[in-house]
Amino acid sequence: MQLPPALRSRLLGAPGAAKPLPVERDPAAGAPPFHFAARRVRFPRDHEFFEDGDVQRHLYLQDVLTQVSESPERPRVPEFTCQAAGCCQVFDSLENYEHHYHTLHRNVCSFCGRAFPSVHLLDVHILEWHDSLFQILSERQDMYQCLVEGCAERFRSGGDRKEHLVRRHLYPADFRFDRPKRSGGPATPGAAVQDSAEALGEGEEQSGGDAMEVCPERAAPRPEPVGQRRTSSHRIPSTICFGQGASRGFKSTKKRKEHQ
Amino acid sequence: MILGEAEIQQFLQLAQRGTDEKQRESALVSLRRGLQHPQTQQTFIWLEGSMRTLVGLLTSNRALLQLEAARCLHELSHSEQSAVAEACLPATSYLLTYLSGHSSDFIELCLYTLGNLIVESEAVRRRLLPQGIVPALAACIQSPHLTVLEALGYALSQLLQAKEAPEMIIPSVLGSTLPQHILQLLQPGPKLNPGVAVEFAWCLHYIICSQVNNALLISHGGLSTLGLLLLDVAGAVQRTEDAGLELLVCPVLRCLSNLLTEAAVEVMGGPNQLEDERVVAALYILLQFFVQKQPSLLPECLWLLNNLTANSPSFCTSLLSMDLIKPLLQLLPVSNVVSVLVLTVLCNVAEKGRAYCQHLWPGPLLPCLIGTLASSDTEVVGQSLELLHLLFFYRPEVSFGPGTPVLRPVVSPWPLSLSILSIATFLGLASLCGLQFRTCSLWLGRHSSK
């Protein structure tokens, strides 16, 4: 297919529409047996017109999914230790360290040391477990918010909230990030050892004491004094950089080589 | 390696209660390898307590065990058996919870797992919707990580492709902030990532072709974003960049073509119109590319060209002024489907009247039409006759009377004998189909005595 040379430069030129030639339709042009009428065509989903393109898409996805499931070879680095206070876990890859940091040290309650998977869950926890004003207000109005993002419902008690999570959102009844508080008032560090095992998602299947055990060498977990706990920092250590730009990106080169 | 019940149990126990961290991790790695086999997957899901244990490991505070447990789930999600996907249901609320975390590798894994589970089972989808998958994805789409975005696009595209999507899923997607973010990720420019853009272009296609509320997408500037994106892709193809951008073409063509049929676009000169003739230039560059690389996608390109030219005198004029009729004719031999579409586009031009037909001939058009009239495909022949009719209707000085040349000599040297030959060809072929014989004779009757 040969294209006029000016076309390529037109693509790079300024936006603009051609001044249309005058339109002079004669209705007799459409008289039977001729019935052409210019019209825009719409194809709904699953129309057979889409078959060929859909096959291409499917083949492309097969390729992508194969690449995802092949466990990538993480570059090994000389062993280093986690810099967070009280943690002496050792790593030989940055990706493993990144996940460890985000799981254990990122969204940490500075009152009781429990770690949460997201900022949202941490905020809810601090409000419900460590805020005495919350306790007072919750006696008068619905304060327990639904844990599901996008649901604005609030409830009178943790129990009501759990029932809502199970009935409305089909959550498991033993959802690990919605453990009830044992004591009536704000949680104290003393109770931390027993409770934290549950809050961090340890069930009866897990070995006890895992929750507070951040360093394998320690014989038994010891809660730190309240003062120290509250000031424990969970900023990212300056020496570590997670390199947000690092990405697998588009795997085009590998795929095209396979297809050619 | 296929694992038996005893081995699976052993690995799970080691992962749960092993004293050494490395030992626990490698037990899960071994389990994961076993789960690559469908047989092991079946054994696993029928083993009592196995999923409960795996979910326990997934939600533990041991980060590396969590990662490996997620990888095991990911293997299970590859199964084509919906029973296996349904066995993973206890994990879904956690997979969604982890989407609001920060660990990009882990989130990516959760997204691909969710995407795979979504495809395999309607029961999984029915669970994920009330669990809040749409708001979770809407929050996650703000991630700066390209791998996360690509995985998210994949998961969302699978969700939107579900058969119940138009009623159950697309309305809530359109009601969220996802459409704006998707269009943002499709903005052309240096920040455009092909892998990410491909996924979200497909997402848009599934939304648009379901025809739930396309006016909303148009109001967010969908037409202009997609039009500019098409220009970008054509530019890259023209520079023969091997960036994989051509994978974007198919969904973008579909989105544009379908959006153009919306009533919101019908208002001439309105803000939602697509009027830039560079879109036509881009389309031809893509046509040329696909003729060589992927002829099966030519019909989709021509579909857009039809939708651009059907109601637009401006675009029809562009085809003439940019000398684009001849390249179009070169596509006729490709296939019958392509021929019909090419002829339809030419009809779009011709039906606008004399000023347009004047530019359509003389030229290579007539010999091509004689060729298409010889086609064995009735649709091709029918469309050729429609075009010929329009051309003759709007060019009354052309006739077949004896002694009268077909075209004025100053315009073209077509001899009378050739026109008689073509009439004879018509009639010979028209006997293939009764309707066409009648059409031909009516056509001849109309045009012969002038």
Short mmCIF file of all heavy atoms in Angstrom, two decimals, chain A residues 1-2 8 10 16 18 21 24-26 29 41-42 45 50 54 56-57 74 99 169-170 176 205 248 250-251 256, chain B residues 16 66 103 105 108 130-131 150 162 195 199 210 238 242 254 261 277 288 294 303 307 314 330 351-352 356 389 394:
data_model
loop_
_atom_site.label_atom_id
_atom_site.label_comp_id
_atom_site.label_asym_id
_atom_site.label_seq_id
_atom_site.Cartn_x
_atom_site.Cartn_y
_atom_site.Cartn_z
N MET A 1 0.85 -1.20 0.00
CA MET A 1 0.00 0.00 0.00
C MET A 1 0.88 1.24 0.00
O MET A 1 1.67 1.45 0.91
CB MET A 1 -0.87 -0.04 1.26
CG MET A 1 -1.93 1.03 1.30
SD MET A 1 -2.66 1.04 2.94
CE MET A 1 -3.93 2.25 2.72
N GLN A 2 0.71 2.05 -1.04
CA GLN A 2 1.57 3.24 -1.16
C GLN A 2 0.85 4.46 -0.67
O GLN A 2 -0.27 4.74 -1.12
CB GLN A 2 1.90 3.44 -2.65
CG GLN A 2 2.53 2.20 -3.28
CD GLN A 2 3.85 2.56 -3.88
OE1 GLN A 2 3.91 3.50 -4.67
NE2 GLN A 2 4.89 1.85 -3.51
N ARG A 8 2.76 11.76 5.76
CA ARG A 8 3.56 11.62 6.97
C ARG A 8 3.79 12.97 7.63
O ARG A 8 3.73 13.10 8.84
CB ARG A 8 4.88 10.94 6.63
CG ARG A 8 4.60 9.56 6.10
CD ARG A 8 5.80 8.75 5.73
NE ARG A 8 5.33 7.53 5.08
CZ ARG A 8 4.92 6.45 5.73
NH1 ARG A 8 4.93 6.42 7.04
NH2 ARG A 8 4.48 5.40 5.08
N ARG A 10 1.80 15.47 7.29
CA ARG A 10 0.50 15.96 7.77
C ARG A 10 0.26 15.49 9.20
O ARG A 10 -0.28 16.21 10.04
CB ARG A 10 -0.63 15.46 6.86
CG ARG A 10 -2.02 15.95 7.27
CD ARG A 10 -2.15 17.45 7.09
NE ARG A 10 -3.30 17.98 7.79
CZ ARG A 10 -3.27 18.51 9.02
NH1 ARG A 10 -2.13 18.53 9.69
NH2 ARG A 10 -4.36 19.00 9.58
N GLY A 16 -6.30 20.29 12.50
CA GLY A 16 -7.15 21.08 11.62
C GLY A 16 -8.09 20.19 10.86
O GLY A 16 -7.82 19.00 10.68
N ALA A 18 -10.45 19.72 7.24
CA ALA A 18 -10.55 20.21 5.86
C ALA A 18 -11.84 20.99 5.70
O ALA A 18 -12.87 20.66 6.27
CB ALA A 18 -10.54 19.02 4.90
N LEU A 21 -16.23 20.26 0.99
CA LEU A 21 -16.85 20.58 -0.29
C LEU A 21 -18.36 20.66 -0.06
O LEU A 21 -18.88 20.04 0.87
CB LEU A 21 -16.55 19.46 -1.30
CG LEU A 21 -15.08 19.33 -1.72
CD1 LEU A 21 -14.85 17.99 -2.42
CD2 LEU A 21 -14.68 20.48 -2.65
N GLU A 24 -24.45 18.12 -1.78
CA GLU A 24 -25.72 18.30 -2.51
C GLU A 24 -26.33 16.95 -2.75
O GLU A 24 -26.08 16.33 -3.79
CB GLU A 24 -25.44 18.98 -3.86
CG GLU A 24 -24.99 20.42 -3.75
CD GLU A 24 -24.30 20.88 -5.05
OE1 GLU A 24 -23.48 20.11 -5.61
OE2 GLU A 24 -24.59 22.00 -5.49
N ARG A 25 -27.10 16.48 -1.79
CA ARG A 25 -27.69 15.14 -1.93
C ARG A 25 -29.01 15.25 -2.67
O ARG A 25 -29.79 16.16 -2.43
CB ARG A 25 -27.95 14.53 -0.56
CG ARG A 25 -26.73 13.97 0.11
CD ARG A 25 -27.15 13.16 1.32
NE ARG A 25 -25.99 12.87 2.13
CZ ARG A 25 -25.59 13.59 3.17
NH1 ARG A 25 -26.29 14.64 3.54
NH2 ARG A 25 -24.50 13.27 3.82
N ASP A 26 -29.23 14.25 -3.49
CA ASP A 26 -30.51 14.16 -4.17
C ASP A 26 -31.21 12.91 -3.62
O ASP A 26 -30.66 11.82 -3.70
CB ASP A 26 -30.27 14.01 -5.68
CG ASP A 26 -31.56 14.05 -6.49
OD1 ASP A 26 -32.62 13.67 -5.95
OD2 ASP A 26 -31.49 14.45 -7.66
N ALA A 29 -31.32 9.54 -5.35
CA ALA A 29 -30.16 8.64 -5.41
C ALA A 29 -30.40 7.38 -4.59
O ALA A 29 -29.81 6.35 -4.84
CB ALA A 29 -28.91 9.37 -4.91
N VAL A 41 -21.44 2.73 12.24
CA VAL A 41 -21.78 1.38 12.67
C VAL A 41 -21.27 1.14 14.08
O VAL A 41 -20.16 1.54 14.43
CB VAL A 41 -21.15 0.35 11.71
CG1 VAL A 41 -21.36 -1.07 12.20
CG2 VAL A 41 -21.74 0.50 10.32
N ARG A 42 -22.11 0.47 14.86
CA ARG A 42 -21.73 0.16 16.23
C ARG A 42 -21.68 -1.35 16.39
O ARG A 42 -22.57 -2.04 15.90
CB ARG A 42 -22.81 0.77 17.13
CG ARG A 42 -22.89 0.24 18.53
CD ARG A 42 -24.14 0.80 19.18
NE ARG A 42 -23.94 2.23 19.45
CZ ARG A 42 -24.78 2.98 20.14
NH1 ARG A 42 -25.88 2.43 20.62
NH2 ARG A 42 -24.56 4.24 20.36
N ARG A 45 -20.60 -5.84 22.46
CA ARG A 45 -19.64 -6.82 22.96
C ARG A 45 -19.99 -8.21 22.43
O ARG A 45 -21.14 -8.50 22.16
CB ARG A 45 -19.57 -6.80 24.48
CG ARG A 45 -20.87 -6.89 25.19
CD ARG A 45 -20.69 -6.57 26.67
NE ARG A 45 -20.09 -7.65 27.41
CZ ARG A 45 -19.22 -7.47 28.40
NH1 ARG A 45 -18.82 -6.28 28.75
NH2 ARG A 45 -18.72 -8.50 29.04
N PHE A 50 -15.28 -8.88 16.26
CA PHE A 50 -14.14 -8.70 17.15
C PHE A 50 -13.27 -9.95 17.30
O PHE A 50 -12.27 -9.92 18.01
CB PHE A 50 -14.63 -8.29 18.54
CG PHE A 50 -15.25 -6.93 18.61
CD1 PHE A 50 -16.31 -6.68 19.47
CD2 PHE A 50 -14.78 -5.88 17.84
CE1 PHE A 50 -16.88 -5.41 19.55
CE2 PHE A 50 -15.33 -4.62 17.92
CZ PHE A 50 -16.39 -4.38 18.78
N ASP A 54 -9.65 -10.24 19.28
CA ASP A 54 -9.75 -10.88 20.59
C ASP A 54 -8.76 -12.03 20.72
O ASP A 54 -8.19 -12.25 21.79
CB ASP A 54 -11.18 -11.42 20.83
CG ASP A 54 -12.16 -10.31 21.15
OD1 ASP A 54 -11.72 -9.16 21.36
OD2 ASP A 54 -13.38 -10.59 21.17
N GLN A 56 -5.85 -12.20 19.26
CA GLN A 56 -4.53 -11.58 19.46
C GLN A 56 -4.35 -11.19 20.92
O GLN A 56 -3.29 -11.39 21.51
CB GLN A 56 -4.41 -10.28 18.64
CG GLN A 56 -4.67 -10.42 17.17
CD GLN A 56 -3.47 -10.97 16.44
OE1 GLN A 56 -2.37 -10.99 17.00
NE2 GLN A 56 -3.65 -11.40 15.22
N ARG A 57 -5.41 -10.62 21.50
CA ARG A 57 -5.36 -10.17 22.90
C ARG A 57 -5.12 -11.36 23.81
O ARG A 57 -4.33 -11.32 24.74
CB ARG A 57 -6.68 -9.47 23.24
CG ARG A 57 -6.98 -9.27 24.71
CD ARG A 57 -6.11 -8.25 25.35
NE ARG A 57 -6.48 -7.97 26.72
CZ ARG A 57 -5.67 -7.43 27.61
NH1 ARG A 57 -4.43 -7.13 27.26
NH2 ARG A 57 -6.08 -7.20 28.84
N ARG A 74 15.66 -12.66 41.80
CA ARG A 74 15.97 -11.41 42.47
C ARG A 74 17.47 -11.25 42.56
O ARG A 74 18.17 -12.17 42.94
CB ARG A 74 15.37 -11.43 43.89
CG ARG A 74 13.87 -11.55 43.90
CD ARG A 74 13.27 -10.34 43.28
NE ARG A 74 11.82 -10.37 43.30
CZ ARG A 74 11.05 -9.61 42.54
NH1 ARG A 74 11.60 -8.81 41.68
NH2 ARG A 74 9.74 -9.68 42.62
N HIS A 99 9.41 -5.71 51.20
CA HIS A 99 8.17 -6.30 51.66
C HIS A 99 8.15 -6.46 53.18
O HIS A 99 7.14 -6.18 53.84
CB HIS A 99 7.91 -7.64 50.98
CG HIS A 99 6.59 -8.23 51.35
ND1 HIS A 99 5.40 -7.54 51.15
CD2 HIS A 99 6.25 -9.39 51.93
CE1 HIS A 99 4.40 -8.28 51.60
NE2 HIS A 99 4.89 -9.41 52.08
N HIS A 169 -20.78 -7.63 53.25
CA HIS A 169 -19.56 -7.70 52.44
C HIS A 169 -19.00 -9.10 52.29
O HIS A 169 -17.96 -9.28 51.67
CB HIS A 169 -18.48 -6.78 53.02
CG HIS A 169 -18.85 -5.33 53.00
ND1 HIS A 169 -19.06 -4.63 51.84
CD2 HIS A 169 -19.09 -4.46 54.02
CE1 HIS A 169 -19.40 -3.39 52.13
NE2 HIS A 169 -19.43 -3.25 53.44
N LEU A 170 -19.69 -10.08 52.84
CA LEU A 170 -19.29 -11.48 52.70
C LEU A 170 -17.85 -11.72 53.17
O LEU A 170 -17.11 -12.51 52.59
CB LEU A 170 -19.46 -11.96 51.23
CG LEU A 170 -20.84 -11.71 50.62
CD1 LEU A 170 -20.92 -12.32 49.22
CD2 LEU A 170 -21.95 -12.31 51.49
N ARG A 176 -8.96 -11.35 60.14
CA ARG A 176 -7.88 -11.13 61.10
C ARG A 176 -7.60 -9.69 61.44
O ARG A 176 -6.88 -9.40 62.38
CB ARG A 176 -6.61 -11.78 60.56
CG ARG A 176 -6.77 -13.24 60.69
CD ARG A 176 -5.79 -14.06 59.94
NE ARG A 176 -6.39 -15.36 59.72
CZ ARG A 176 -5.90 -16.50 60.24
NH1 ARG A 176 -4.82 -16.48 60.96
NH2 ARG A 176 -6.50 -17.63 60.00
N GLU A 205 -3.19 -21.69 64.41
CA GLU A 205 -2.24 -22.50 63.65
C GLU A 205 -0.80 -22.01 63.83
O GLU A 205 0.13 -22.75 63.62
CB GLU A 205 -2.55 -22.46 62.14
CG GLU A 205 -3.98 -22.85 61.78
CD GLU A 205 -4.89 -21.65 61.71
OE1 GLU A 205 -4.61 -20.65 62.40
OE2 GLU A 205 -5.86 -21.68 60.98
N ARG A 248 9.23 -3.74 36.06
CA ARG A 248 9.45 -4.68 34.96
C ARG A 248 9.08 -4.02 33.65
O ARG A 248 9.66 -4.28 32.62
CB ARG A 248 8.63 -5.94 35.18
CG ARG A 248 8.92 -6.99 34.14
CD ARG A 248 8.21 -8.28 34.41
NE ARG A 248 6.80 -8.11 34.38
CZ ARG A 248 6.01 -8.33 35.44
NH1 ARG A 248 6.52 -8.72 36.57
NH2 ARG A 248 4.73 -8.16 35.36
N PHE A 250 7.19 -2.89 30.26
CA PHE A 250 6.56 -3.61 29.18
C PHE A 250 7.51 -4.68 28.68
O PHE A 250 8.64 -4.41 28.34
CB PHE A 250 6.21 -2.62 28.06
CG PHE A 250 5.36 -3.23 27.01
CD1 PHE A 250 4.13 -3.78 27.32
CD2 PHE A 250 5.78 -3.26 25.69
CE1 PHE A 250 3.33 -4.33 26.34
CE2 PHE A 250 4.99 -3.81 24.71
CZ PHE A 250 3.76 -4.34 25.04
N LYS A 251 6.98 -5.91 28.62
CA LYS A 251 7.89 -7.00 28.33
C LYS A 251 7.97 -7.25 26.84
O LYS A 251 8.05 -8.37 26.39
CB LYS A 251 7.40 -8.26 29.04
CG LYS A 251 7.30 -8.02 30.54
CD LYS A 251 6.37 -9.01 31.20
CE LYS A 251 4.90 -8.58 31.23
NZ LYS A 251 4.62 -7.25 31.68
N ARG A 256 8.33 -10.26 21.60
CA ARG A 256 8.42 -10.18 20.15
C ARG A 256 9.46 -11.13 19.62
O ARG A 256 9.32 -11.70 18.57
CB ARG A 256 8.68 -8.76 19.69
CG ARG A 256 7.42 -8.18 19.06
CD ARG A 256 7.73 -6.96 18.30
NE ARG A 256 8.45 -6.03 19.14
CZ ARG A 256 7.89 -5.44 20.18
NH1 ARG A 256 6.64 -5.59 20.46
NH2 ARG A 256 8.61 -4.65 20.93
N GLN B 16 4.36 -23.89 58.67
CA GLN B 16 3.69 -23.33 59.83
C GLN B 16 4.57 -23.35 61.06
O GLN B 16 4.65 -22.38 61.81
CB GLN B 16 2.48 -24.20 60.15
CG GLN B 16 1.17 -23.61 59.82
CD GLN B 16 0.06 -24.49 60.38
OE1 GLN B 16 0.13 -25.72 60.34
NE2 GLN B 16 -0.93 -23.86 60.91
N GLN B 66 4.66 -14.72 53.87
CA GLN B 66 3.48 -14.11 53.27
C GLN B 66 3.62 -14.08 51.75
O GLN B 66 2.71 -14.44 51.00
CB GLN B 66 3.38 -12.68 53.81
CG GLN B 66 2.00 -12.15 53.90
CD GLN B 66 2.01 -10.69 54.31
OE1 GLN B 66 2.87 -9.91 53.91
NE2 GLN B 66 1.04 -10.31 55.11
N SER B 103 3.73 -2.47 49.52
CA SER B 103 4.77 -3.31 48.92
C SER B 103 4.38 -3.64 47.49
O SER B 103 3.47 -4.45 47.25
CB SER B 103 4.88 -4.58 49.78
OG SER B 103 5.73 -5.50 49.19
N ASP B 105 5.67 -5.27 44.90
CA ASP B 105 5.73 -6.65 44.39
C ASP B 105 4.54 -7.46 44.88
O ASP B 105 3.94 -8.24 44.13
CB ASP B 105 7.00 -7.34 44.91
CG ASP B 105 8.21 -7.00 44.05
OD1 ASP B 105 8.02 -6.32 43.02
OD2 ASP B 105 9.32 -7.40 44.41
N GLU B 108 1.27 -6.37 43.29
CA GLU B 108 1.22 -6.86 41.92
C GLU B 108 0.77 -8.31 41.89
O GLU B 108 -0.10 -8.71 41.09
CB GLU B 108 2.62 -6.72 41.33
CG GLU B 108 2.70 -6.93 39.85
CD GLU B 108 4.15 -7.07 39.39
OE1 GLU B 108 5.04 -6.48 40.04
OE2 GLU B 108 4.36 -7.77 38.39
N PRO B 130 -19.35 -7.40 46.50
CA PRO B 130 -19.69 -6.85 47.82
C PRO B 130 -18.47 -6.67 48.72
O PRO B 130 -18.50 -5.83 49.62
CB PRO B 130 -20.65 -7.88 48.42
CG PRO B 130 -20.52 -9.09 47.58
CD PRO B 130 -20.00 -8.69 46.26
N GLN B 131 -17.39 -7.40 48.46
CA GLN B 131 -16.19 -7.21 49.28
C GLN B 131 -15.47 -5.92 48.95
O GLN B 131 -14.51 -5.54 49.59
CB GLN B 131 -15.23 -8.40 49.12
CG GLN B 131 -15.68 -9.62 49.90
CD GLN B 131 -14.74 -10.80 49.78
OE1 GLN B 131 -13.89 -10.86 48.90
NE2 GLN B 131 -14.89 -11.75 50.69
N GLU B 150 0.03 -2.04 35.63
CA GLU B 150 -0.21 -3.01 34.56
C GLU B 150 -1.03 -4.19 35.10
O GLU B 150 -1.98 -4.66 34.46
CB GLU B 150 1.14 -3.51 34.01
CG GLU B 150 1.00 -4.18 32.66
CD GLU B 150 2.35 -4.56 32.05
OE1 GLU B 150 3.36 -3.87 32.35
OE2 GLU B 150 2.39 -5.53 31.28
N ALA B 162 -16.52 -9.91 32.18
CA ALA B 162 -17.47 -10.91 32.68
C ALA B 162 -18.81 -10.73 32.00
O ALA B 162 -19.20 -9.60 31.67
CB ALA B 162 -17.61 -10.76 34.19
N GLY B 195 2.82 -0.93 28.21
CA GLY B 195 2.24 -2.08 28.89
C GLY B 195 1.01 -1.69 29.70
O GLY B 195 -0.01 -2.38 29.69
N GLU B 199 -3.41 -2.37 28.75
CA GLU B 199 -4.42 -2.95 29.65
C GLU B 199 -5.61 -2.02 29.81
O GLU B 199 -6.76 -2.45 29.75
CB GLU B 199 -3.81 -3.25 31.03
CG GLU B 199 -2.72 -4.30 31.04
CD GLU B 199 -3.12 -5.56 30.31
OE1 GLU B 199 -4.23 -6.07 30.55
OE2 GLU B 199 -2.30 -6.04 29.49
N SER B 210 -20.13 -2.16 25.93
CA SER B 210 -21.29 -2.59 26.71
C SER B 210 -22.38 -1.55 26.72
O SER B 210 -23.50 -1.82 27.16
CB SER B 210 -20.87 -2.88 28.16
OG SER B 210 -19.86 -3.84 28.19
N GLN B 238 5.24 4.85 12.47
CA GLN B 238 5.89 5.49 11.32
C GLN B 238 7.40 5.54 11.51
O GLN B 238 8.16 5.39 10.56
CB GLN B 238 5.33 6.92 11.22
CG GLN B 238 5.66 7.60 9.93
CD GLN B 238 5.03 8.99 9.87
OE1 GLN B 238 4.45 9.35 8.87
NE2 GLN B 238 5.14 9.76 10.91
N ASP B 242 10.17 -0.03 17.81
CA ASP B 242 9.74 -1.34 18.24
C ASP B 242 9.22 -1.29 19.67
O ASP B 242 9.64 -2.05 20.52
CB ASP B 242 10.95 -2.28 18.15
CG ASP B 242 10.49 -3.72 17.97
OD1 ASP B 242 9.35 -3.94 17.54
OD2 ASP B 242 11.29 -4.62 18.27
N ARG B 254 -11.34 0.34 18.40
CA ARG B 254 -12.69 -0.08 18.79
C ARG B 254 -13.37 0.99 19.63
O ARG B 254 -14.55 1.28 19.44
CB ARG B 254 -12.61 -1.39 19.58
CG ARG B 254 -12.14 -2.56 18.76
CD ARG B 254 -12.06 -3.80 19.60
NE ARG B 254 -11.58 -4.95 18.82
CZ ARG B 254 -11.62 -6.21 19.24
NH1 ARG B 254 -12.11 -6.48 20.43
NH2 ARG B 254 -11.16 -7.17 18.48
N THR B 261 -20.48 6.58 17.58
CA THR B 261 -21.90 6.33 17.31
C THR B 261 -22.80 6.92 18.38
O THR B 261 -24.01 6.83 18.28
CB THR B 261 -22.19 4.82 17.22
OG1 THR B 261 -21.97 4.23 18.51
CG2 THR B 261 -21.31 4.13 16.20
N GLU B 277 -8.20 16.24 11.02
CA GLU B 277 -7.94 15.33 9.90
C GLU B 277 -6.64 14.55 10.06
O GLU B 277 -6.38 13.61 9.31
CB GLU B 277 -7.95 16.07 8.55
CG GLU B 277 -6.81 17.00 8.32
CD GLU B 277 -6.80 17.58 6.90
OE1 GLU B 277 -7.63 17.21 6.06
OE2 GLU B 277 -5.92 18.43 6.64
N GLN B 288 -1.46 0.89 6.40
CA GLN B 288 -0.28 0.42 5.69
C GLN B 288 0.52 -0.55 6.55
O GLN B 288 1.02 -1.57 6.08
CB GLN B 288 0.60 1.62 5.31
CG GLN B 288 1.76 1.24 4.41
CD GLN B 288 2.75 2.38 4.28
OE1 GLN B 288 3.16 2.97 5.27
NE2 GLN B 288 3.15 2.68 3.06
N GLN B 294 -0.36 -7.40 10.05
CA GLN B 294 -1.52 -8.10 10.60
C GLN B 294 -2.77 -7.81 9.79
O GLN B 294 -3.62 -7.04 10.22
CB GLN B 294 -1.75 -7.63 12.04
CG GLN B 294 -1.31 -8.61 13.07
CD GLN B 294 -1.58 -8.07 14.46
OE1 GLN B 294 -1.23 -6.95 14.81
NE2 GLN B 294 -2.24 -8.86 15.24
N TRP B 303 -13.37 0.04 9.72
CA TRP B 303 -14.58 0.35 10.48
C TRP B 303 -14.50 1.78 11.01
O TRP B 303 -15.45 2.56 10.89
CB TRP B 303 -14.73 -0.66 11.63
CG TRP B 303 -15.79 -0.39 12.64
CD1 TRP B 303 -17.03 0.19 12.44
CD2 TRP B 303 -15.72 -0.69 14.02
NE1 TRP B 303 -17.72 0.25 13.61
CE2 TRP B 303 -16.95 -0.29 14.60
CE3 TRP B 303 -14.75 -1.29 14.84
CZ2 TRP B 303 -17.22 -0.45 15.97
CZ3 TRP B 303 -15.03 -1.46 16.18
CH2 TRP B 303 -16.25 -1.03 16.74
N ASN B 307 -16.83 5.09 10.15
CA ASN B 307 -17.50 5.92 11.14
C ASN B 307 -17.04 7.38 11.10
O ASN B 307 -17.79 8.27 11.47
CB ASN B 307 -17.33 5.33 12.55
CG ASN B 307 -18.24 4.13 12.77
OD1 ASN B 307 -18.86 3.63 11.82
ND2 ASN B 307 -18.33 3.66 13.99
N SER B 314 -16.40 16.93 6.05
CA SER B 314 -15.02 17.37 6.25
C SER B 314 -14.04 16.21 6.06
O SER B 314 -13.04 16.32 5.34
CB SER B 314 -14.87 17.98 7.64
OG SER B 314 -13.54 18.25 7.90
N GLN B 330 -6.01 0.08 -3.25
CA GLN B 330 -4.98 -0.96 -3.20
C GLN B 330 -5.32 -2.05 -2.18
O GLN B 330 -4.72 -3.13 -2.19
CB GLN B 330 -3.61 -0.34 -2.86
CG GLN B 330 -3.07 0.51 -3.99
CD GLN B 330 -1.88 1.36 -3.54
OE1 GLN B 330 -1.31 1.14 -2.47
NE2 GLN B 330 -1.54 2.34 -4.34
N GLU B 351 -21.85 9.59 -1.91
CA GLU B 351 -23.26 9.94 -1.64
C GLU B 351 -23.43 11.40 -1.26
O GLU B 351 -24.55 11.89 -1.14
CB GLU B 351 -23.87 9.00 -0.58
CG GLU B 351 -23.33 9.14 0.82
CD GLU B 351 -24.11 10.11 1.70
OE1 GLU B 351 -25.33 10.28 1.49
OE2 GLU B 351 -23.47 10.70 2.59
N LYS B 352 -22.35 12.10 -1.05
CA LYS B 352 -22.46 13.50 -0.66
C LYS B 352 -22.64 14.45 -1.84
O LYS B 352 -22.78 15.67 -1.66
CB LYS B 352 -21.25 13.90 0.19
CG LYS B 352 -21.37 13.22 1.56
CD LYS B 352 -20.21 13.39 2.47
CE LYS B 352 -20.51 12.79 3.84
NZ LYS B 352 -20.84 11.35 3.84
N TYR B 356 -18.26 15.87 -4.77
CA TYR B 356 -17.41 14.78 -4.32
C TYR B 356 -17.15 13.79 -5.44
O TYR B 356 -16.02 13.37 -5.67
CB TYR B 356 -18.05 14.08 -3.10
CG TYR B 356 -18.12 14.99 -1.89
CD1 TYR B 356 -19.12 15.95 -1.78
CD2 TYR B 356 -17.17 14.90 -0.89
CE1 TYR B 356 -19.16 16.81 -0.69
CE2 TYR B 356 -17.20 15.74 0.21
CZ TYR B 356 -18.21 16.70 0.29
OH TYR B 356 -18.24 17.55 1.38
N HIS B 389 -23.68 3.17 -9.03
CA HIS B 389 -24.93 3.91 -9.16
C HIS B 389 -24.75 5.36 -8.69
O HIS B 389 -25.16 6.31 -9.37
CB HIS B 389 -26.02 3.20 -8.35
CG HIS B 389 -27.20 4.08 -8.04
ND1 HIS B 389 -28.05 4.57 -9.01
CD2 HIS B 389 -27.63 4.58 -6.87
CE1 HIS B 389 -28.98 5.32 -8.45
NE2 HIS B 389 -28.75 5.36 -7.16
N TYR B 394 -24.59 11.05 -9.85
CA TYR B 394 -24.12 12.42 -9.64
C TYR B 394 -23.20 12.92 -10.73
O TYR B 394 -22.61 14.00 -10.60
CB TYR B 394 -23.43 12.52 -8.27
CG TYR B 394 -24.40 12.48 -7.11
CD1 TYR B 394 -24.36 11.45 -6.18
CD2 TYR B 394 -25.37 13.47 -6.95
CE1 TYR B 394 -25.26 11.41 -5.11
CE2 TYR B 394 -26.27 13.43 -5.89
CZ TYR B 394 -26.20 12.40 -4.98
OH TYR B 394 -27.08 12.36 -3.93
#
